Amino acid sequence: MSEPAVLRALLDALPAGSVLSDPDQMEGYRYDRAMTVRPGMPVAVVRAASTAEVQATLRIASRFSTPVVPRGAGTGLSGGSSAVDGCITLSTERMRAVSVDAPAMVATVQPGALNAEVKAEARRFGLWYPPDPSSFEICSIGGNLATNAGGLCCVRYGVTTDYVLGLEVVLADGRALRLGGATIKDVAGYDLKRLFVGSEGTLGVITEATLRLRPLGPLPSTIAATFADVVDCGRAVARIMATSRPAALELMDAAAIAAVERVRPMGFEAGVGSLLIGQCPVDTTEGARLAAACEECDATYVALTDDPAEGELLMGARRMAIPCVERLGTVLIEDIGVPIPRIPALVGAVAEVAERTDTMIPVIGHAGDGNFHPLVTFDPHDTSARARAEVAFDRIIEVALEMGGTITGEHGVGSLKARHLPGQLGADVLELTGTIKRALDPGGILNPGKWV
Ligand SMILES: Cc1cc2nc3c(=O)[nH]c(=O)nc-3n(C[C@H](O)[C@H](O)[C@H](O)COP(=O)(O)OP(=O)(O)OC[C@H]3O[C@@H](n4cnc5c(N)ncnc54)[C@H](O)[C@@H]3O)c2cc1C
């Protein structure tokens, strides 16, 4: 079918102003934050305002066999919401309602609400929505659900999926389904809602979520420890995680510290080999245990503070690491995960890859979860540097898999890591994945060309 016919059908079915087709207006909807993924050009961007408008869009897309790329806030780091040629980009940015049922300790949330907006609304009732990607101020709940986003406090409090009680999803043919509900326990039938959490827009469009809330967390005390060698820092992480569950445990290597220091100085001297930032509920003995573990692993400096402002200064600097490194060049962002005991070997191996490929690879990580982001950085105008960076990117993924790890711990597969998925899943699991995809989206219109 011709593109104008699809466009005309959308314009006829949806309210005025919901459909964009001017290339200039669509430009900002083509990309996410994966710097190396080249996006296509949509035929239209639909800015849906309701479940009914999502349904209408998908019915038209099915009728015309037009690809649909669901989109939240476009902060993804793997190309998951980047446009494919001729697609309808389906943005949820106008679906932003959040309502809190305080006695039930749940929030009902439309997908376009930002993570920070859900946190803020919960806070008004003395409640807390814990999952906290570093991008929490700019990313949407729909995107968080579709990638099963993690974050800094997930090491103690769990990731997005741990807070999902129910979902409303719209399938490729336009049917809206309710999966799960608002109860804490519910084992009626298959747990289909979890199939959609982390499905990266390939199985359906999430149009509402019922999320579990907790009482506001205790104030944290914060520990900062520096190490001459990143492998020692990795040893400290493994030692801490063998006996504790800190509220955050974040690692930055020397190159990542230097990148942040240039933009937002934390006051660390040049030459610090790596930094571990931990948080624990205040008034517990855990902070002292973390400090002791760091000292046993040859930390060069350890400080513990109960001052929330000092703690936020360090955590805020850590959250800025990716944008700070992006100032140094084009970044291929890894998102590998390994079992905790393998962390020292992993950070050592990444340093070796950086040296062997002569590539700058600052490393940050949600270390307590074994989830690391080696930031493979290169000058986009230097073709040889780009080729070396690609070799480094692939080798780091191989290393993670050799260690029994994963190619992605929280950012999702997207386009960036699609070619590595078969290596992790194997033929049988890939075939089952394809069977599920075909059952829910027989025409293959949802987010095609990504990973299924
Ligand atoms: C500086 C920075 C720091 C970051 N830190 C973290 C971090 O600590 N932890 C972490 O997990 N991520 C992190 N991210 C990555 C990103 O913010 C998350 O992946 C986030 O969940 C994406 O949300 P979004 O709304 O931007 O989604 P988008 O980028 O718009 O989409 C992401 C994926 O979800 C799909 N999707 C979006 N909405 C829907 C929907 N309603 N229904 C179905 N599918 C949908 C898209 O098709 C795409 O596949 C970071 C990003 C940046 C830029």
Side-chain angles (χ1 to χ4, degrees), residues 350-374:
V350 172
E352 271 172 38
V353 172
E355 198 176 321
R356 199 153 13 94
T357 57
D358 187 21
T359 300
M360 179 169 60
I361 311 182
V363 178
I364 55 173
H366 308 302
D369 286 326
N371 180 201
F372 290 88
H373 305 311

Side-chain angles (χ1 to χ4, degrees), residues 418-436:
R419 69 201 158 85
H420 294 286
L421 192 62
Q424 177 167 345
L425 297 189
D428 289 345
V429 178
L430 265 188
E431 192 190 318
L432 179 59
T433 304
T435 304
I436 293 168

Side-chain angles (χ1 to χ4, degrees), residues 32-33 69-82 90 92 111-112 114 132-136 138-152 199-202 204-207 318-320 322-323 326 366 371 373 410-412 414 447 450:
D32 67 2
R33 291 284 297 263
V69 177
R71 183 180 178 92
T75 69
L77 294 170
S78 60
S81 63
S82 63
L90 180 47
T92 60
L114 300 184
D132 62 342
S134 297
S135 51
F136 76 100
I138 53 172
C139 64
S140 77
I141 286 293
N144 291 177
L145 291 160
T147 56
N148 192 11
L152 280 67
S199 64
E200 298 185 44
T202 63
V205 179
I206 298 164
T207 47
R318 157 62 189 90
R319 281 195 288 266
M320 284 183 63
I322 291 175
E326 283 173 345
H366 308 302
N371 180 201
H373 305 311
E410 58 178 17
H411 295 165
N447 225 351
K450 302 291 164 66

Side-chain angles (χ1 to χ4, degrees), residues 102-124:
M105 293 178 76
V106 299
T108 304
V109 181
Q110 285 190 314
L114 300 184
N115 179 300
E117 291 169 346
V118 178
K119 283 192 198 317
E121 189 59 18
R123 200 181 181 87
R124 292 202 313 118

